[in-house]
Amino acid sequence: MSATEKTTDGALLLRALRQLTPAMGLLTEIGELFGTAGHEVALVGGPVRDAFLGRPSTDLDLTTSARPEEIEQVLTGWADTTWDVGRAFGTIGARRGRDTLEITTYRADAYDGETRKPVVAFGTSLEEDLVRRDFRVNAMALRLPDLTFVDPHGGLGDLAGQRLRTPHEPEVSFADDPLRMLRAARFAAQLGFRPTTDVLEAMTDMADRISIVSAERVRDELVKLVLAPDPRAGLEILVTTGLADHVLPELPALRLEVDEHHRHKDVYEHSLIVLEQAIGLEDEPGEREDDPDRVPGPDLVLRLAALLHDIGKPPTRRFEPGGGVSFHHHEVVGAKMTRARLRALRFDKETVRAVTRLVELHLRFHGYGSGEWTDAAVRRYVTDAGPLLGRLHKLTRSDCTTRNRRKAARLSASYDHLEERIERLREEEELNAVRPELDGHQIGAILGIPPGPQLGRAYQHLLAVRLDQGPLGEDGARAELLRWWAEQETPGG
Ligand code: ATP
Ligand code: MG
């Protein structure tokens, strides 16, 4: 390494340490605890990478020479609680106050060449642990408490160049754990990094190996990818390498939508744009806080629905006599396909139901035209969407990728109109839901009068009081009713 590189690294390291300042007290304590007990410990992977990126890190991952039982011993008395994240994998979780950490014994894992099940072996050195990590940018560590920076694979250079490379040959790495291929796509979406050409080639050659990975692990990576700032970057990698053919085949299938007039070749591109537009409509923190239809970002359900809303198109495509093309009921077929795919990926019931419903409803707004729905139709729209209404608003608005500005403006104005009508109906219906605190029977009994116009006026009076003054309670309402009645009875009044 040249002298200039050293200074650059030094400056970067200083910045990273500054980023870690809030955790530094804790990290120093941990370092001293383990050191005193005769063990090595280091901050490793994600938090080190994120510190260099100036990005807040979600978790504090540590690696140590101590075995799991020893980790627990060292932490006893210091941590409020500790738990097993996966003893077989050597990970212990710990919490002290508001801080949580995960500490993993150095690993030197090998894989059973036949079944591909990971065979966990504990390692003896930090370097050995780092080499088995997924990417060079994730294979950097900071020893504690002295903060020695350990980067045997040039992770910092890759980080500066926004590159994703495996510590060893990608073929070896991906054979050991094919999930790493999905992680490459995920980091592209999350961090804007690019896998290098050889990494992409290995991913393409080995894409089918992803099928040995459990659906749950695949799902977790897909979720992180979809929730990232730039899902398109990750999704395009999945599609071009062929990984998507195994984990989300409905997505590459959208590309096959080439009709003879090339009018529908863009369902894939359309879907990515709809996803990006939906992301653009997510509500930011602090924005529209009191809106019941608020959708704070990043929202997994909205994003999945945007990505999948048209997957029913390929199987429903018909070339009509006369040259047209149609996709009858693609929303119904798409909803079924969505349910099947999300179930196969072991998504929870609630997510499956919500995304499926949105796909099914994504076309409902079409036919609204310039507002010729009856109030009942508007009410039905709201009821059918239920708690998904806010997301349906955003999905429908996003699902317009025409380059014809006037058409786009018309659609958007027409949706504004629908939202206004929903708002108005809601207000009216809330008003309608307000009742006087005494019903007709009670009023009749209190005043000793039969049903009729007099009783009607009494009812209207109590309703007006209820609206003006809010609830008075039954006794208060009775007193008010009698007061009003006495006024009515005044001779000459
Ligand atoms: P984030 O937590 O922000 O999602 P991360 O990089 O911390 O990102 P984790 O899944 O928490 O990702 O993994 C922690 C670290 O463990 C990674 O930085 C990497 O060093 C290592 N790692 C995780 N999964 C693998 C894997 N499949 N193969 C090799 N190393 C891995
Ligand atoms: Mg992490």
Side-chain angles (χ1 to χ4, degrees), residues 44-47 49-50 57-61 102 183 186 224:
V44 71
R49 175 200 70 214
D50 290 340
S57 202
T58 38
D59 31 41
L60 287 178
D61 299 326
E102 282 190 5
R183 290 174 61 87
R186 188 255 281 197
K224 287 184 181 174

mmCIF file of all heavy atoms in Angstrom, residues 44-47 49-50 57-61 102 183 186 224, ligand 2:
data_model
loop_
_atom_site.group_PDB
_atom_site.id
_atom_site.type_symbol
_atom_site.label_atom_id
_atom_site.label_comp_id
_atom_site.label_asym_id
_atom_site.label_seq_id
_atom_site.Cartn_x
_atom_site.Cartn_y
_atom_site.Cartn_z
ATOM 1 N N VAL A 44 -17.644 -6.558 13.524
ATOM 2 C CA VAL A 44 -17.378 -7.183 12.227
ATOM 3 C C VAL A 44 -18.559 -7.042 11.261
ATOM 4 O O VAL A 44 -19.706 -6.890 11.691
ATOM 5 C CB VAL A 44 -17.038 -8.689 12.449
ATOM 6 C CG1 VAL A 44 -18.285 -9.472 12.859
ATOM 7 C CG2 VAL A 44 -16.398 -9.318 11.222
ATOM 8 N N GLY A 45 -18.263 -7.085 9.988
ATOM 9 C CA GLY A 45 -19.319 -7.160 8.961
ATOM 10 C C GLY A 45 -20.110 -5.873 8.815
ATOM 11 O O GLY A 45 -19.535 -4.779 8.738
ATOM 12 N N GLY A 46 -21.435 -6.011 8.797
ATOM 13 C CA GLY A 46 -22.354 -4.898 8.520
ATOM 14 C C GLY A 46 -22.027 -3.588 9.239
ATOM 15 O O GLY A 46 -21.910 -2.542 8.575
ATOM 16 N N PRO A 47 -21.881 -3.596 10.572
ATOM 17 C CA PRO A 47 -21.643 -2.322 11.259
ATOM 18 C C PRO A 47 -20.325 -1.647 10.880
ATOM 19 O O PRO A 47 -20.250 -0.411 10.871
ATOM 20 C CB PRO A 47 -21.663 -2.692 12.754
ATOM 21 C CG PRO A 47 -21.618 -4.177 12.831
ATOM 22 C CD PRO A 47 -22.101 -4.707 11.517
ATOM 23 N N ARG A 49 -18.792 -1.956 7.843
ATOM 24 C CA ARG A 49 -19.089 -1.451 6.498
ATOM 25 C C ARG A 49 -19.930 -0.175 6.583
ATOM 26 O O ARG A 49 -19.615 0.842 5.950
ATOM 27 C CB ARG A 49 -19.857 -2.542 5.730
ATOM 28 C CG ARG A 49 -20.359 -2.142 4.361
ATOM 29 C CD ARG A 49 -21.489 -3.074 3.938
ATOM 30 N NE ARG A 49 -22.677 -2.837 4.745
ATOM 31 C CZ ARG A 49 -23.546 -3.790 5.108
ATOM 32 N NH1 ARG A 49 -23.372 -5.043 4.761
ATOM 33 N NH2 ARG A 49 -24.600 -3.481 5.844
ATOM 34 N N ASP A 50 -20.994 -0.221 7.381
ATOM 35 C CA ASP A 50 -21.896 0.929 7.473
ATOM 36 C C ASP A 50 -21.211 2.150 8.082
ATOM 37 O O ASP A 50 -21.505 3.281 7.695
ATOM 38 C CB ASP A 50 -23.148 0.561 8.270
ATOM 39 C CG ASP A 50 -24.048 -0.407 7.507
ATOM 40 O OD1 ASP A 50 -23.912 -0.483 6.267
ATOM 41 O OD2 ASP A 50 -24.872 -1.091 8.143
ATOM 42 N N SER A 57 -26.158 1.914 11.375
ATOM 43 C CA SER A 57 -26.217 0.462 11.274
ATOM 44 C C SER A 57 -27.345 -0.060 12.144
ATOM 45 O O SER A 57 -27.638 0.482 13.197
ATOM 46 C CB SER A 57 -24.904 -0.162 11.722
ATOM 47 O OG SER A 57 -24.780 -1.446 11.178
ATOM 48 N N THR A 58 -27.996 -1.107 11.644
ATOM 49 C CA THR A 58 -29.135 -1.636 12.378
ATOM 50 C C THR A 58 -28.696 -2.468 13.572
ATOM 51 O O THR A 58 -29.334 -2.465 14.604
ATOM 52 C CB THR A 58 -30.020 -2.502 11.461
ATOM 53 O OG1 THR A 58 -29.167 -3.243 10.588
ATOM 54 C CG2 THR A 58 -30.949 -1.632 10.653
ATOM 55 N N ASP A 59 -27.588 -3.204 13.417
ATOM 56 C CA ASP A 59 -27.199 -4.038 14.550
ATOM 57 C C ASP A 59 -25.699 -4.018 14.794
ATOM 58 O O ASP A 59 -24.916 -3.627 13.943
ATOM 59 C CB ASP A 59 -27.696 -5.469 14.378
ATOM 60 C CG ASP A 59 -27.778 -5.894 12.905
ATOM 61 O OD1 ASP A 59 -26.852 -5.548 12.145
ATOM 62 O OD2 ASP A 59 -28.754 -6.540 12.527
ATOM 63 N N LEU A 60 -25.351 -4.410 16.009
ATOM 64 C CA LEU A 60 -23.942 -4.494 16.373
ATOM 65 C C LEU A 60 -23.555 -5.964 16.365
ATOM 66 O O LEU A 60 -23.950 -6.722 17.247
ATOM 67 C CB LEU A 60 -23.724 -3.893 17.760
ATOM 68 C CG LEU A 60 -23.814 -2.367 17.871
ATOM 69 C CD1 LEU A 60 -23.627 -1.924 19.311
ATOM 70 C CD2 LEU A 60 -22.778 -1.678 16.973
ATOM 71 N N ASP A 61 -22.839 -6.355 15.319
ATOM 72 C CA ASP A 61 -22.398 -7.743 15.222
ATOM 73 C C ASP A 61 -20.941 -7.830 15.652
ATOM 74 O O ASP A 61 -20.104 -7.058 15.189
ATOM 75 C CB ASP A 61 -22.527 -8.250 13.777
ATOM 76 C CG ASP A 61 -23.969 -8.224 13.277
ATOM 77 O OD1 ASP A 61 -24.876 -8.453 14.101
ATOM 78 O OD2 ASP A 61 -24.180 -7.970 12.081
ATOM 79 N N GLU A 102 -25.077 -9.002 18.944
ATOM 80 C CA GLU A 102 -24.983 -10.425 18.639
ATOM 81 C C GLU A 102 -23.517 -10.780 18.540
ATOM 82 O O GLU A 102 -22.762 -10.131 17.810
ATOM 83 C CB GLU A 102 -25.704 -10.747 17.332
ATOM 84 C CG GLU A 102 -27.200 -10.798 17.518
ATOM 85 C CD GLU A 102 -27.949 -11.340 16.311
ATOM 86 O OE1 GLU A 102 -27.299 -11.781 15.339
ATOM 87 O OE2 GLU A 102 -29.192 -11.315 16.351
ATOM 88 N N ARG A 183 -27.818 -12.268 -1.840
ATOM 89 C CA ARG A 183 -27.311 -11.160 -1.025
ATOM 90 C C ARG A 183 -26.615 -10.120 -1.905
ATOM 91 O O ARG A 183 -26.686 -8.924 -1.638
ATOM 92 C CB ARG A 183 -26.393 -11.670 0.090
ATOM 93 C CG ARG A 183 -27.164 -12.444 1.173
ATOM 94 C CD ARG A 183 -26.233 -13.072 2.204
ATOM 95 N NE ARG A 183 -25.428 -12.107 2.937
ATOM 96 C CZ ARG A 183 -25.803 -11.475 4.049
ATOM 97 N NH1 ARG A 183 -27.009 -11.696 4.565
ATOM 98 N NH2 ARG A 183 -24.994 -10.632 4.653
ATOM 99 N N ARG A 186 -29.263 -8.033 -3.179
ATOM 100 C CA ARG A 186 -29.799 -7.230 -2.079
ATOM 101 C C ARG A 186 -28.896 -6.031 -1.779
ATOM 102 O O ARG A 186 -29.367 -4.907 -1.597
ATOM 103 C CB ARG A 186 -29.946 -8.116 -0.829
ATOM 104 C CG ARG A 186 -30.666 -7.438 0.297
ATOM 105 C CD ARG A 186 -29.761 -6.988 1.421
ATOM 106 N NE ARG A 186 -29.383 -8.076 2.293
ATOM 107 C CZ ARG A 186 -28.879 -7.908 3.515
ATOM 108 N NH1 ARG A 186 -28.726 -6.695 3.999
ATOM 109 N NH2 ARG A 186 -28.523 -8.939 4.234
ATOM 110 N N LYS A 224 -35.552 -7.744 2.219
ATOM 111 C CA LYS A 224 -34.583 -6.648 2.380
ATOM 112 C C LYS A 224 -34.346 -5.935 1.046
ATOM 113 O O LYS A 224 -34.211 -4.717 1.005
ATOM 114 C CB LYS A 224 -33.262 -7.178 2.935
ATOM 115 C CG LYS A 224 -33.377 -7.534 4.409
ATOM 116 C CD LYS A 224 -32.063 -7.982 5.011
ATOM 117 C CE LYS A 224 -32.287 -8.335 6.485
ATOM 118 N NZ LYS A 224 -31.091 -8.904 7.120
HETATM 119 MG MG MG B 2 -26.432 -7.221 10.231
#
